[in-house]
Amino acid sequence: MTETAEQDSGRGAVRSTGDGAGDGAGHGTEEPARQRLRERRTAAFREAERVLWRPGFLGTLRERLTQLYEAAPEVHDLDERADAYGNGVVEVLEERVAALLGTEAAAFFPTGTMAQQVALRCWAGRTGTPTVALHALAHPEVHERGAFGAVSGLRTVRVTSEPRLPTADEVRAVEEPFGALMLELPLRDAGFVLPSWEQLTEVVEAARERDAVVHFDGARLWESTVHFGRSLAEIAGLADSVYVSFYKSLDGLGGAALAGPRTLVEEAKVWRHRYGGMVFQQFPTALSALIGLERALPRLPEYVAHARVVARALREGFAEAGVPWARVHPEVPHTHEFQVWLPYPADVLGEAAALQAEETKTMLFSAPWDRGGPGLSFTEVTVRAPGLEWTADDVRAAVADFVARVTAVADGTDGTDGISEVGGQE
């Protein structure tokens, strides 16, 4: 799903979204029609009775607080004193993450952006070079406003821009020295794609041949075990350090962790303080992360398996509906998230998705549509607990209804003033 204000604040400010979805930084320049469509889509998503996922962050403050209050006693003793500057429940969370990933230690961070800057800054000091090799679509390159260079004194070299993870040969072919290789697993902007286990081990070995350390951007590492057929500890064990997120797949209130050797983590905690990450009390976020590890983490393999059912039904549905060019990427999803590409303007698809939800209370595509090229648009699909209720027949039926609405919107026969009313793009 294209990450927006509802999913990953900050993305919309640097990435075009066809229906105007984005974070607060982008709303000031948003066209009125697109802003209305974004608001309609968000409202329709909240009110829809059938969706493929329903993220907690769309809930009200009361709902979020109630969920935390009801579930927290399952994961921690609430009669314990509250944390202060990273002790107590925060330390419990750090120990839990280190155990899951098989590392010596882990440090809690308020954001992944901070965690990764600190990790790579620490590695730069140890390797003697501030250069980080990464993919052109890696999160820091596309979505963090040049933070590596502007804040942390790091510079990046791009290993490849192909919509897949780098290969071992590409790592060997980088024309200048680098101290760290950063690998995003899965590579979200390429379609949540992962390499094979053999390819991943070869890439890690190629980096080590160049005396570089390997850091995994594992914001969504939790759901990668199915594709690799390996445990979290085995996957994390390939890298020198790993970052994981607590809200992208675990539905926490926020937060991240950096895991690795104890000496690195201790140094990272010093830099965490310098970067302003030594927050006085973090127990709500830490508790929500523990709840995610307890409740959401065990279900991720189930979501991945059903995402493959949904993906196949989508392909079949678009073929049956006669859509001339439609793609599900990857055809067999590597995680519980994947892309759908269709040959229509983004505004048309966004309007059709909103109409479907408003009129049927079923929302097949809850994320915004991005322009992917001339006459092409794409969106991201996430399958979680609500999606398990959808059969393949349900998906195909929803596709047929959606395609009919797309045709009507494109022809201006949906009861509105046509495409000019939803952005006037083409």
Side-chain angles (χ1 to χ4, degrees):
M1 185 176 297
T2 300
E3 237 149 33
T4 67
E6 295 101 323
Q7 278 194 282
D8 190 9
S9 62
R11 290 204 92 128
V14 293
R15 176 175 176 172
S16 170
T17 49
D19 64 2
D23 77 335
H27 290 170
T29 59
E30 194 172 79
E31 294 180 16
R34 290 182 178 172
Q35 183 173 348
R36 289 196 298 272
L37 179 55
R38 176 184 56 80
E39 293 168 353
R40 284 178 52 210
R41 179 179 57 81
T42 300
F45 189 21
R46 286 174 173 157
E47 296 172 6
E49 296 171 358
R50 299 203 70 196
V51 294
L52 289 170
W53 80 310
R54 194 177 298 280
F57 56 71
L58 286 183
T60 64
L61 289 173
R62 184 179 301 279
E63 289 169 342
R64 292 297 266 167
L65 287 171
T66 299
Q67 292 164 1
L68 183 64
Y69 177 78
E70 291 178 347
E74 300 176 13
V75 298
H76 197 73
D77 181 5
L78 299 190
D79 290 323
E80 177 185 287
R81 287 188 62 182
D83 62 294
Y85 293 119
N87 66 6
V89 66
V90 177
E91 290 178 329
V92 170
L93 175 60
E94 292 172 338
E95 292 169 1
R96 178 76 184 278
V97 170
L100 284 168
L101 299 179
T103 61
E104 290 182 350
F108 181 83
F109 279 81
T111 71
T113 298
M114 184 187 295
Q116 299 210 106
Q117 284 190 56
V118 167
L120 292 164
R121 182 169 194 147
C122 291
W123 284 126
R126 292 165 182 238
T127 63
T129 174
T131 304
V132 179
L134 41 59
H135 196 288
L137 293 176
H139 196 281
E141 285 291 272
V142 183
H143 303 294
E144 295 180 12
R145 301 176 185 262
F148 273 13
V151 179
S152 299
L154 302 170
R155 62 182 297 268
T156 61
V157 294
R158 298 179 175 185
V159 182
T160 183
S161 59
E162 293 295 316
R164 52 160 173 74
L165 272 293
T167 67
D169 286 342
E170 288 169 336
V171 172
R172 296 187 182 100
V174 174
E175 295 178 340
E176 56 184 301
F178 55 89
L181 173 66
M182 179 178 178
L183 297 174
E184 184 178 333
L185 301 175
L187 184 56
R188 177 274 176 87
D189 279 352
F192 305 94
V193 296
L194 291 162
S196 69
W197 180 254
E198 292 73 20
Q199 290 169 333
L200 181 59
T201 56
E202 290 170 1
V203 168
V204 170
E205 290 169 3
R208 299 242 163 84
E209 289 171 11
R210 301 196 55 163
D211 296 323
V213 297
V214 177
H215 171 76
F216 285 171
D217 175 344
R220 298 173 174 83
L221 191 74
W222 309 113
E223 57 263 40
S224 299
T225 57
V226 176
H227 176 82
F228 286 130
R230 299 292 194 282
S231 68
L232 284 169
E234 288 177 283
I235 299 168
L238 289 180
D240 296 283
S241 59
V242 181
Y243 141 67
V244 290
S245 172
F246 295 125
Y247 75 91
K248 287 184 171 67
S249 300
L250 302 184
D251 213 17
L253 296 177
L258 171 65
R262 189 171 302 281
T263 55
L264 177 78
V265 171
E266 291 304 315
E267 181 184 359
K269 288 182 177 180
V270 174
W271 282 103
R272 179 183 65 186
H273 197 173
R274 290 171 175 153
Y275 272 66
M278 183 65 80
V279 180
F280 178 45
Q281 289 195 313
Q282 302 177 94
F283 64 89
T285 305
L287 285 171
S288 72
L290 287 170
I291 293 167
L293 292 173
E294 182 70 22
R295 291 186 171 188
L297 180 59
R299 302 200 68 183
L300 289 176
E302 184 180 13
Y303 301 158
V304 175
H306 199 64
R308 296 172 177 177
V309 174
V310 171
R312 179 174 179 177
L314 286 169
R315 293 198 308 271
E316 294 169 348
F318 285 120
E320 292 168 3
V323 178
W325 192 99
R327 296 289 186 275
V328 172
H329 175 70
E331 284 197 6
V332 179
H334 296 174
T335 72
H336 65 298
E337 298 178 281
F338 54 91
Q339 293 178 340
V340 172
W341 290 71
L342 293 176
Y344 301 97
D347 289 331
V348 169
L349 295 167
E351 175 70 12
L355 285 171
Q356 183 178 43
E358 289 166 344
E359 296 176 4
T360 71
K361 299 302 180 184
T362 292
M363 197 166 201
L364 180 61
F365 298 113
S366 55
W369 289 84
D370 277 4
R371 300 173 188 85
L376 290 177
S377 302
F378 72 95
T379 191
E380 294 174 356
V381 175
T382 299
V383 178
R384 293 187 62 177
L388 300 179
E389 301 175 3
W390 292 55
T391 66
D393 286 342
D394 292 335
V395 175
R396 287 190 289 265
V399 168
D401 178 79
F402 176 73
V403 171
R405 294 175 189 279
V406 169
T407 302
V409 172
D411 292 343
T413 59
D414 66 321
T416 71
D417 293 330
I419 186 60
S420 62
E421 186 63 26
V422 292
Q425 180 186 343
E426 293 187 4

